[in-house]
Amino acid sequence: MTSPLPASVLDLAPVVPVVVIEDVSDAVPLARALVTGGLPAIEVTLRTPAALDAIRAIAAEVPEAVVGAGTVITPEQVTASVTAGARFLVSPGWTDVLLEAMRVSGVPFLPGVSTTSEVVGLLERGVTEMKFFPAQAAGGTAYLKSLAGPLPQARFCPTGGIGPGNAPEYLSLPNVRCVGGTWMLPADAIAARDWSRVERLAREAAGLRDGSGAQV
């Protein structure tokens, strides 16, 4: 049975793995390791030729996962991602054209922002849930704290430069519901297809909000 979406995709898990898949045969075992570790929301970035096939495989074979498409930057990618089985969309930034395509796609979406004006622009258009990217380079937790006062209705998933050392600080902010990251997917583990290690790192990441995750 396919896992149901909560009211908000931000509430699926404290950490959303940001996955770059080069070999589509890795998609299903990788997704199963992440889900077993407690991270059901999986953002597969559209950075490789294998990405859409990976989304299609995960959607078909790992129903417990909530697979989404990341690095979505065109309306054509919106359509292709949803057709492949993506259940949410994430973009690094937004334009009115892209926003409208995501809005009519029928799935939840997180448009990317890195400035106050971009946040206000989305709020004007009725969007309150966003990706903050690149989080560390754009000001990190200090910047998000500053936004919480004048713009408390905006909620964020910061991504970019986040790891187990600083994720708890982000997750402690009132306007942050989850973070995106790659640290549970080390390149050597993926190359070795060491899915047990991915599962262990995912489990540690899943416990970061309540303090049970290991600080590695």
Side-chain angles (χ1 to χ4, degrees):
M1 179 182 297
T2 301
S3 295
L5 281 172
S8 167
V9 69
L10 297 182
D11 295 330
L12 279 164
V15 177
V16 177
V18 180
V19 181
V20 179
I21 294 180
E22 302 284 353
D23 186 338
V24 70
S25 67
D26 291 338
V28 168
L30 185 152
R32 285 175 176 155
L34 292 172
V35 170
T36 302
L39 301 180
I42 301 170
E43 176 189 336
V44 177
T45 65
L46 302 184
R47 301 180 192 175
T48 69
L52 289 173
D53 285 336
I55 291 171
R56 191 172 291 110
I58 294 170
E61 299 185 46
V62 193
E64 317 95 287
V66 180
V67 63
T71 321
V72 176
I73 58 173
T74 68
E76 292 77 17
Q77 288 179 328
V78 170
T79 301
S81 298
V82 175
T83 300
R87 299 177 64 197
F88 65 93
L89 304 168
V90 184
S91 67
W94 66 275
T95 66
D96 281 321
V97 171
L98 179 59
L99 190 67
E100 181 61 18
M102 292 193 292
R103 194 191 296 275
V104 302
S105 70
V107 302
F109 56 91
L110 297 174
V113 297
S114 60
T115 70
T116 305
S117 294
E118 290 170 334
V119 176
V120 172
L122 286 177
L123 292 175
E124 282 185 349
R125 291 160 175 78
V127 178
T128 60
E129 299 187 344
M130 314 165 194
K131 171 179 178 172
F132 181 57
F133 175 83
Q136 282 292 96
T141 55
Y143 194 91
L144 288 170
K145 287 177 184 177
S146 298
L147 291 181
L151 303 171
Q153 64 272 55
R155 300 204 309 164
F156 300 97
C157 174
T159 304
I162 298 177
N166 60 2
E169 184 179 0
Y170 279 95
L171 291 168
S172 70
L173 300 177
N175 54 354
V176 171
R177 291 301 305 153
C178 64
V179 299
T182 62
W183 73 89
M184 72 298 299
L185 301 161
D188 58 341
I190 302 301
R193 292 177 168 81
D194 187 353
W195 309 126
S196 62
R197 183 180 173 199
V198 171
E199 179 184 334
R200 175 177 61 80
L201 292 172
R203 184 168 291 107
E204 292 169 354
L208 284 174
R209 187 186 296 280
D210 62 15
S212 64
Q215 302 298 299
V216 296

